[in-house]
Amino acid sequence: MPGETDLDVMLAGLSPELEPTEYVYATVPIGVVVPVAESAVVRVAEAEGTTLVLPVAEAIGLGLQHEFPCQRITLRVHSDLAAVGLTAAISTALAAEGLPANVVAGFWHDHVFVPADRAADAHAVLLDLTAPATLRTAIASDEADLWRMLRHAAWADDGEQPETDPYLRRYVEGWGRPGDAGIVAIGPSGRVIGAAFARALGALDGGDQNDANDRDHGGGDHSHDTDDVPELAIGTIPSQRGRGLGGRMLEALLTEMAAAGHATLRLDVRDTNPAIRLYERLGFERTRTRTNRVGTTSIVMERALRPGAG
């Protein structure tokens, strides 16, 4: 019975189902006889021996060498065995979140074995591939999620903490002040998978002193402007990049800010960031360059939000 071959249809119909059982990969060397492993869900004959994927308790009971504690996510969509792209799409999404994926194709379904200690994360990643995110206005209680999205927006490395960085923290700290504007994206999993938000950073609590603090933090001229023009931060979780979510959020934010009476929105973006094309498509214009916090060049861009603004 042929299955589905259209990638978009397959992703929409994934219906990933996380099984609670903890499995391991075990090996039975050539020439070794063990009792039949009744609970093995995968059996692969290899030159070095037979690989079994079976519950960890059974592997221990049989005295088998084993590794990779994992859980199984069954993709309930019936994909054709000759379908192209599904394995790549799910493994790419999981890899973007630092998750390995061992995919086994069955006649009816694909099965993904993921690390047991991050199985819930993997399940959420796959759920969020099945449908577009729902957008809503950011509220004060979203502050923790905005911090997470700021890390992605800032290309922060593992050693950077936006919460303690004098330049970055101003985008989120005390979120919900008058004039703050934001859009958050909620995936089918129920988690926040992206956000676009803006506030007048330079005007917060005395712009001149804050700019001095920013310059002291890393040198150069990566300071916030001292006017009342809101500055944008926008980020998505890695597995959602390239899926059009950034554009959707930004368009919604532009509409919300224009309706609230804001005249202009400003951003700065590293000159190597491909998102520049998105910003230009949505009407942002380059105004100048400046040195960013890591010592490279960023492009400052602005977009008028109502006639005559700029």
Side-chain angles (χ1 to χ4, degrees):
M1 177 180 177
E4 183 58 60
T5 60
D6 184 279
L7 179 59
D8 290 337
V9 174
M10 287 189 289
L11 290 174
L14 276 183
S15 298
E17 182 178 294
L18 176 61
E19 185 178 331
T21 303
E22 183 172 317
Y23 294 97
V24 290
Y25 277 66
T27 181
V28 182
I30 296 292
V32 173
V33 177
V34 299
V36 175
E38 297 290 350
S39 299
V41 293
V42 176
R43 186 183 302 266
V44 181
E46 301 178 283
E48 298 83 359
T50 300
T51 293
L52 302 175
V53 179
L54 72 171
V56 60
E58 188 166 354
I60 292 171
L62 292 173
L64 298 177
Q65 178 185 342
H66 61 275
E67 58 185 52
F68 191 61
C70 56
Q71 287 178 243
R72 175 168 62 167
I73 299 175
T74 297
L75 308 181
R76 286 298 173 188
V77 64
H78 176 36
S79 59
D80 193 291
L81 288 167
V84 175
L86 180 60
T87 299
I90 61 176
S91 60
T92 297
L94 292 170
E97 304 291 337
L99 287 158
N102 292 286
V103 182
V104 177
F107 185 91
W108 293 102
H109 306 290
D110 290 302
H111 307 266
V112 190
F113 292 88
V114 298
D117 61 350
R118 293 196 62 197
D121 294 338
H123 185 238
V125 169
L126 298 182
L127 273 175
D128 290 333
L129 296 179
T130 63
T134 300
L135 305 185
R136 65 163 172 80
T137 298
I139 56 179
S141 60
D142 291 318
E143 182 171 339
D145 287 310
L146 297 186
W147 282 118
R148 289 195 303 112
M149 294 305 117
L150 180 61
R151 170 172 289 279
H152 297 306
W155 293 8
D157 61 33
D158 291 339
E160 285 189 290
Q161 298 296 328
E163 295 89 336
T164 59
D165 186 294
Y167 182 80
L168 294 177
R169 70 186 184 201
R170 299 175 56 71
Y171 284 95
V172 174
E173 192 171 44
W175 182 262
R177 303 179 188 189
D180 288 352
I183 297 292
V184 295
I186 312 298
S189 67
R191 62 179 182 156
V192 172
I193 60 175
F197 47 102
R199 61 171 23 159
L201 304 175
L204 289 175
D205 303 326
D208 291 340
Q209 181 59 46
N210 288 317
D211 282 350
N213 290 339
D214 290 334
R215 285 190 291 272
D216 291 343
H217 175 62
D221 62 349
H222 63 289
S223 57
H224 298 298
D225 293 281
T226 58
D227 55 24
D228 61 356
V229 175
E231 296 191 33
L232 170 73
I234 180 170
T236 68
I237 61 171
S239 57
Q240 285 289 318
R241 291 172 184 162
R243 295 174 56 82
L245 179 57
R248 289 183 59 212
M249 293 191 300
L250 187 48
E251 288 177 331
L253 180 63
L254 291 170
T255 299
E256 181 174 284
M257 295 184 71
H262 292 283
T264 308
L265 179 60
R266 177 184 295 135
L267 62 86
D268 67 74
V269 55
R270 297 187 193 184
D271 61 2
T272 57
N273 191 334
I276 291 172
R277 294 191 294 272
L278 168 65
Y279 301 141
E280 290 181 326
R281 178 172 63 81
L282 292 179
F284 284 85
E285 298 180 350
R286 305 180 188 216
T287 61
R288 63 189 186 277
T289 61
R290 63 185 176 193
T291 303
N292 56 44
R293 74 184 193 284
V294 297
T296 60
T297 299
S298 283
I299 300 169
V300 180
M301 308 180 77
E302 293 186 359
R303 205 264 203 190
L305 300 179
R306 64 171 186 258

